[in-house]
Amino acid sequence: MILKDSPPAAISHEEKLRALCMLSNVPQTIDLQGLLGKVQQAPDPETAVRTVLGTISVTSEVLERKWRSAIMAWWSMHHPHVPLLPSLALSSDEVLTVPMLQDAHAFLEAIFCQPADLVEEQGELLLNPADVLRIAGSLPSQALMPALPVESEWSYLPLRRLRATLQALRLVRPVKGRLVVVRSRYERFRKFPATQQFYLLWHADTYHVDWAEFAGMWGKFVRVIQDYLPLLWDLGEHLEPGQQVDRSHWALEVLETFAPLWEEEGLLQIGQGQAAILPIVQQHALPTILEKFMIRDILHRHGLITLSEEFGQLSLFTWTTIGASVFKAELTQELPCGLELLSREYESATPDVNSRFV
């Protein structure tokens, strides 16, 4: 009788890290257990990675990738409810001040404490004017803005778009004429590190909110951009944190990139007589609209850029670490769908940080 060899026992995360220490010539005097304790206590996986790589010396890119993978797996083992985002190399500290994230927390807290009444207008359920003012007044990004008379929720576009994003994530929903927080998903959202919260909002706003609804008469133009987002990510292929860019030049670059697609859709055609007036106005204003919608309402609101406030530099924006990381991650096309990350399915097992998210 021939006995088959039994399969080799699985190597533990700690054994993998000890093997990496040997490969990386890490001094034996290093307190590995203490280091693993810091990894476990880190607020997010990227902070855990930076804690370790800031303590040891790794000169090989291959070894650095192995260390990153092993550390994230160790962190995830102790935080099974948190979905990993291996392509998004951001720490919680880097995203805490993102306007969209701060506003989302304020909005959810306001609705959690006091659900908002909804009124039907032309077949659409909108926040009533009193709740619009109440919630808008709680948003950090609107703190310095004057309170304007409210005819409709659409009078406050940032608020309306934020609600659309939170509804896409099913963090809030209409119930019997009121907008309420979905408690189970909200509690799970709050337990996530700030990086994961940021990513959920970015993904939902970018892929699951119809940009055309917030772009007025230029809706068809921005819808084409949203339908072909990989072309947009290609524009940031070589960007670096701290890189300054002229706003109008970047808007023109976006325009030149998508002009052939707009042409195919017939959006650049000019009619005759009075029928030509509107297309001429639309096309003439496109660079300005792209500068506002793409630069202010998306890139700046999500913290991908900072806008210069210095006199003489108002036409510039600066790419942040967030912007460089997000564009690079989107180019890989390996990030998960944010709408799925709040489901309990992602709590059952530690994902393979080297596998492709589908």
Side-chain angles (χ1 to χ4, degrees), residues 63-223:
L63 278 176
E64 183 175 332
R65 287 197 298 270
K66 290 182 178 293
W67 271 103
R68 174 175 288 274
S69 175
I71 296 164
M72 293 180 73
W74 177 270
W75 188 93
S76 183
M77 182 176 68
H78 294 280
H79 303 82
H81 66 286
V82 178
L84 285 177
L85 304 171
S87 297
L88 199 65
L90 292 171
S91 69
S92 294
D93 287 344
E94 288 171 326
V95 300
L96 283 175
T97 58
V98 167
M100 187 71 167
L101 180 58
Q102 292 186 333
D103 282 356
H105 277 287
F107 188 108
L108 289 166
E109 183 64 22
I111 298 295
F112 183 77
C113 294
Q114 181 183 336
D117 292 328
L118 297 168
V119 293
E120 185 172 349
E121 294 184 14
Q122 299 180 350
E124 183 181 17
L125 289 176
L126 300 176
L127 297 175
N128 78 27
D131 282 312
V132 170
L133 285 175
R134 173 175 68 88
I135 298 169
S138 72
L139 303 184
S141 69
Q142 302 295 305
L144 300 178
M145 302 295 290
L148 302 174
V150 179
E151 296 181 3
S152 162
E153 184 181 354
W154 285 101
S155 301
Y156 284 75
L157 277 180
L159 176 68
R160 180 67 188 89
R161 184 165 174 176
L162 177 58
R163 176 162 82 92
T165 302
L166 297 177
Q167 280 191 211
L169 289 168
R170 299 193 296 280
L171 286 167
V172 297
R173 66 179 179 184
V175 176
K176 297 180 179 180
R178 305 173 82 194
L179 187 69
V180 302
V181 166
V182 181
R183 187 182 295 267
S184 61
R185 295 176 71 86
Y186 180 40
E187 290 176 352
R188 184 160 168 76
F189 177 79
R190 291 178 61 183
K191 290 179 181 178
F192 282 175
T195 305
Q196 273 71 6
Q197 294 176 1
F198 160 81
Y199 174 70
L200 289 173
L201 295 167
W202 162 258
H203 180 87
D205 189 31
T206 304
Y207 291 95
H208 298 282
V209 171
D210 187 358
W211 290 356
E213 294 185 1
F214 303 92
M217 70 172 69
W218 294 271
K220 292 182 179 180
F221 291 90
V222 298
R223 179 169 285 153

